[in-house]
């Protein structure tokens, strides 16, 4: 996608939001119904401001569209492939558990219990459910401290160090000998991995304009689907191992940890923002920063601000986004830990069950990229696409639940595949959440809150699977997922209404270009800054 120059972005945004364009005033002033604590004056504390002020100042500068396009391509080439690999590894080592249980981990670590007191004997898989959920308890514990540490400290050093430690924790899974040990390992794995998704979300919001963020967020999140395929292929290969002193599931974790360690070494090169992007020249850094002025989302401010935390707690859109994420990601909690196991219920072999992850991953990958592309091309379509992508998930859950589960049944496998559109739903939630907040502390809070909700969904999902109800096709699971996606749709409709109404209110304010330029890098929140426009 070729980015537009600053003036063209301005004209397009004005057309979309109907903001009047009065001539610049000699003495700019804030509208009466907005309070600006840090403001437009020249006496603002430098620590309160965005780092962008240091190289672009408070007045807008004309930039060459060709140079801007070249710089965006350079940023894409440096950041996007690394983020695809990074988040792919996050998803891969979570999803390994689903395949590992088919390779003997359940027996080796006593993750399932057979109750011989019942006739016929029943199998209790609650330990496996909790092993899946423990990862997300760890992530819950790590999200806020890790995210705010990224704001305060050098991003590359912190990211690289934590990812290398994550790699070691992953490899230590091969040394686990009991279900209690697996619980501890999964908790610490989730804690250290919590730095990746929120870090990537903040990086995208710091390097790209609002219109560009949707496509870029979808690129790295698409590795959810991509690594479902790649991971499935790798696990299928490990499933062929018949010799050696280790179990097949132990080889998988050692391999994943080694890949992660190599990625961690690369993370030390990640810059904090366009202002400090070492792979850009000084002139390119100025353009890369200046192009972000119109969106009013800011670049980076290292000062933690309690006022922005308080505002976040009182902001309804933060909680609507969190509700959507928690509801939408219940699917992943069930699929990543139990997907191959559920497919094997349809009469397929262990290795065939892994291969059936390919269609699910392919649909997830394609729909994430497709919705990201459409969102970047068609204004205010994000929440509409989100709602549309919820419908196949509901349909897929219904098909699995109500179809016949005979030997080699096709219908439930088809239903299982089309629920892959959940990836697009989640990707759009991330995009909507991050594009609609400003202020560095508030952006960090939103990023962490989104993935706290993600963890809640992943914790709830596995608990919906009751092994005792297998003969009735796990009714609690499919009914629960359908209800969750209905909640997601309702929350999306409410959020659309809230954002649309606020944009209409702001379009009636008398604003001017001089204030717009000065307020862009004052680290104001979206509520403090009347020039901020919400993306629907």
């Amino acid at each position: 996608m070729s980015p537009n120059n600053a003036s063209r972005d301005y004209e397009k945004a004005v057309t979309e939001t109907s903001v009047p364009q009065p001539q610049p005033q000699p003495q700019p002033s804030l509208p009466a119904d907005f309070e600006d604590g840090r403001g437009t004056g020249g006496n603002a504390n430098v620590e309160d401001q965005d780092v962008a002020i240091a190289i672009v100042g408070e007045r807008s500068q004309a930039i060459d569209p060709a140079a801007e396009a070249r710089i965006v391509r350079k940023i894409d080439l440096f950041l996007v492939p690394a983020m695809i690999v990074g988040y792919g590894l996050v998803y891969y080592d979570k999803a390994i558990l689903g395949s590992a249980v088919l390779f003997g981990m359940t027996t080796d670590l006593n993750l399932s219990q057979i109750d011989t007191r019942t006739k016929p004997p029943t199998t209790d898989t609650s330990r496996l459910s909790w092993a899946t959920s423990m990862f997300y308890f760890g992530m819950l514990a790590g999200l806020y401290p890790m995210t705010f540490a990224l704001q305060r400290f050098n991003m590359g050093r912190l990211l690289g160090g934590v990812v290398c430690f994550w790699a070691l924790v992953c490899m230590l899974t091969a040394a686990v000998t009991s279900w209690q040990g697996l619980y501890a390992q999964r908790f610490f794995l989730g804690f250290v991995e919590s730095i990746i998704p929120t870090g990537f979300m903040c990086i995208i919001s710091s390097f790209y304009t609002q219109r560009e963020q949707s496509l870029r967020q979808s690129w790295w999140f698409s590795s959810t689907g991509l690594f479902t395929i790649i991971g499935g292929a790798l696990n299928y290969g490990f499933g062929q191992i018949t010799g050696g002193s280790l179990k097949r599931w132990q080889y998988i974790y050692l391999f994943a940890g080694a890949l992660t360690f190599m990625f961690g070494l690369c993370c030390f090169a990640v810059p904090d923002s366009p202002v400090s992007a070492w792979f850009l020249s000084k002139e390119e850094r100025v353009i890369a920063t200046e192009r972000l002025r119109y969106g009013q989302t800011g670049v980076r401010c290292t000062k933690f601000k309690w006022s922005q935390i308080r505002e976040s707690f009182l902001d309804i859109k933060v909680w609507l986004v969190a509700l959507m994420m928690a509801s939408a990601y219940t699917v992943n909690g069930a699929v990543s830990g139990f997907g191959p196991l559920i497919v094997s219920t349809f009469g397929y072999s262990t290795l065939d069950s892994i291969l059936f992850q390919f269609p699910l991953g392919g649909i997830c990958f394609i729909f994430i990229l497709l919705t990201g592309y459409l969102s970047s091309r068609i204004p205010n379509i994000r929440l509409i696409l989100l709602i549309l992508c919820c419908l196949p998930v509901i349909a897929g859950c219904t098909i699995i639940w109500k179809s016949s589960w005979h030997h080699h049944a096709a219908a439930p496998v088809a239903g299982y595949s089309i629920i892959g559109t959940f990836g697009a739903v989640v990707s759009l939630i991330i995009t909507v959440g991050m594009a609609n907040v400003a202020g560095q502390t508030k952006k960090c809070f939103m990023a962490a809150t989104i993935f706290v909700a993600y963890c809640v969904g992943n914790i709830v999902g596995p608990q919906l699977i009751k092994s005792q109800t297998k003969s009735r096709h796990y009714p609690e699971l499919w009914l629960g997922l359908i209800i969750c996606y209905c909640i997601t749709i309702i929350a999306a409709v409410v959020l659309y209404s809230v954002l649309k109404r606020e944009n209409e209110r702001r379009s009636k304010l008398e604003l001017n270009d001089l204030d717009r330029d000065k307020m862009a890098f004052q680290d104001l929140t979206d509520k403090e800054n009347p020039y901020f426009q919400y993306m629907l």
Side-chain angles (χ1 to χ4, degrees):
M1 179 181 66
S2 298
N4 297 318
N5 61 32
S7 60
R8 199 179 311 153
D9 272 351
Y10 177 75
E11 291 170 3
K12 184 177 293 183
V14 168
T15 301
E16 292 173 4
T17 59
S18 301
V19 177
Q21 301 177 63
Q23 294 299 315
Q25 303 297 314
Q27 297 295 328
S29 59
L30 204 59
D33 56 348
F34 280 85
E35 287 190 24
D36 174 22
R38 285 158 291 285
T40 59
N43 297 323
N45 189 335
V46 173
E47 290 185 359
D48 287 342
Q49 297 178 329
D50 199 295
V51 294
I53 286 285
I55 66 169
V56 297
E58 293 185 340
R59 298 299 302 272
S60 63
Q61 308 171 42
I63 55 178
D64 177 22
E68 182 185 6
R70 185 182 68 252
I71 291 165
V72 172
R73 285 194 296 271
K74 186 180 286 190
I75 294 172
D76 285 343
L77 289 173
F78 183 84
L79 293 178
V80 174
M83 289 193 288
I84 290 174
V85 171
Y87 193 70
L89 291 171
V90 170
Y91 190 82
Y92 176 49
D93 75 2
K94 292 200 307 288
I96 285 174
L97 187 63
S99 297
V101 297
L102 298 177
F103 292 151
M105 178 185 271
T106 304
T107 303
D108 295 338
L109 303 184
N110 295 317
L111 292 174
S112 62
Q113 299 168 287
I114 299 177
D115 187 353
T116 56
R117 294 173 299 179
T118 62
K119 294 187 178 181
T122 57
T123 301
D124 181 5
T125 58
S126 60
R127 287 179 178 175
L128 177 59
S129 296
W130 281 108
T132 301
S133 296
M134 284 304 294
F135 174 92
Y136 300 104
F137 282 114
M139 185 171 273
L140 275 173
L143 276 166
Y144 285 109
M146 287 288 189
T147 304
F148 290 119
L150 283 172
Q151 176 188 0
R152 181 66 183 87
F153 302 109
N154 181 278
M155 184 173 290
R157 293 173 190 168
L158 183 63
L159 199 61
V162 172
V163 171
C164 287
F165 185 70
W166 153 29
L168 298 178
V169 174
C170 181
M171 286 191 282
L172 283 174
T173 314
V176 172
T177 57
S178 67
W179 58 270
Q180 297 98 326
L182 182 65
Y183 282 10
Q185 184 275 338
R186 296 282 293 176
F187 179 88
F188 286 109
L189 187 67
F191 187 91
V192 291
E193 283 191 26
S194 64
I195 199 170
I196 291 293
T198 55
F200 287 179
M201 290 160 69
C202 291
I203 288 172
I204 293 294
S205 68
S206 294
F207 277 86
Y208 294 99
T209 66
Q210 280 178 303
R211 298 181 67 84
E212 296 166 350
Q213 285 178 28
S214 180
L215 184 59
R216 272 67 182 190
Q217 297 282 19
S218 73
W219 280 348
W220 69 261
F221 195 76
S222 69
S223 56
T224 298
L226 182 62
F227 272 72
T228 298
I229 299 171
I230 295 174
L234 291 171
N235 294 345
Y236 185 87
F238 280 109
Q240 312 300 318
I241 296 175
T242 56
S245 57
L246 298 178
K247 303 293 178 65
R248 288 179 291 179
W249 62 267
Q250 292 174 313
Y251 286 114
I252 299 175
Y253 278 104
L254 289 172
F255 178 72
L259 289 179
T260 303
F261 189 81
M262 290 188 288
F263 171 69
L265 296 178
C266 298
C267 287
F268 285 98
V270 174
D272 289 330
S273 70
V275 176
S276 58
W278 57 267
F279 57 90
L280 299 176
S281 67
K282 182 178 179 180
E283 293 75 17
E284 289 175 333
R285 290 198 293 271
V286 171
I287 296 174
T289 305
E290 177 61 39
R291 60 189 292 273
L292 303 175
R293 187 186 296 273
Y294 183 81
Q296 305 286 313
T297 56
V299 176
R300 178 177 170 85
C301 177
T302 58
K303 183 177 180 180
F304 181 87
K305 298 177 181 178
W306 282 107
S307 62
Q308 295 190 11
I309 297 294
R310 287 193 295 271
E311 180 182 306
S312 300
F313 273 110
L314 299 173
D315 192 342
I316 186 174
K317 69 175 177 292
V318 173
W319 302 114
L320 286 171
V321 168
L323 177 61
M324 288 192 292
M325 178 61 93
S327 300
Y329 229 62
T330 50
V331 168
N332 185 73
V335 169
S336 65
F338 286 85
L341 197 60
I342 291 173
V343 174
S344 68
T345 305
F346 309 147
Y348 293 96
S349 68
T350 296
L351 294 179
D352 285 342
S353 298
I354 293 175
L355 289 177
F356 276 120
Q357 305 309 300
F358 288 19
L360 173 76
I363 289 175
C364 186
F365 178 69
I366 292 169
F367 271 81
I368 290 174
L369 292 181
L370 177 62
T371 54
Y373 175 78
L374 292 175
S375 297
S376 69
R377 294 294 183 182
I378 305 173
N380 298 329
I381 198 176
R382 293 163 177 80
L383 287 167
I384 295 173
L385 289 174
L386 190 156
I387 292 170
L388 291 176
C389 288
C390 287
L391 303 180
V393 179
I394 294 173
C397 291
T398 305
I399 291 171
I400 299 172
W401 181 13
K402 297 300 182 180
S403 61
S404 172
W405 286 21
H406 59 266
H407 186 70
H408 284 192
V413 172
Y416 179 76
S417 298
I418 66 174
I419 65 175
T421 59
F422 86 90
V425 175
V426 176
S427 178
L428 288 164
I429 293 171
I430 291 173
T431 299
V432 168
M434 293 306 294
N436 285 315
V437 290
Q440 187 65 34
T441 304
K442 188 173 184 180
K443 285 196 291 185
C444 288
F445 183 89
M446 173 64 96
T449 300
I450 287 173
F451 271 84
V452 163
Y454 157 102
C455 292
V456 171
N458 275 297
I459 290 170
V460 171
Q463 305 309 318
L464 295 174
I465 298 176
K466 307 296 182 184
S467 56
Q468 301 88 338
T469 63
K470 175 181 173 181
S471 61
R472 293 188 287 120
H473 299 184
Y474 304 112
E476 296 90 351
L477 172 63
W478 309 116
L479 179 60
L481 295 180
I482 290 169
I483 292 172
C484 285
Y485 269 77
C486 290
I487 293 172
T488 303
I489 291 172
I490 293 170
V493 171
V494 174
L495 182 61
Y496 186 94
S497 176
V498 169
L499 298 182
K500 188 172 187 294
R501 186 168 61 249
E502 179 60 19
N503 277 348
E504 290 173 349
R505 186 183 75 83
R506 295 187 179 203
S507 70
K508 298 174 183 177
L509 299 174
E510 293 188 3
L511 306 176
N512 61 77
D513 293 346
L514 185 57
D515 265 351
R516 182 190 300 278
D517 292 346
K518 295 181 71 173
M519 296 175 71
F521 299 126
Q522 298 291 338
D523 195 44
L524 301 178
T525 67
D526 53 282
K527 285 197 168 186
E528 293 170 331
N529 189 345
Y531 294 91
F532 188 95
Q533 286 289 309
Y534 294 104
M535 309 294 284
L536 280 65

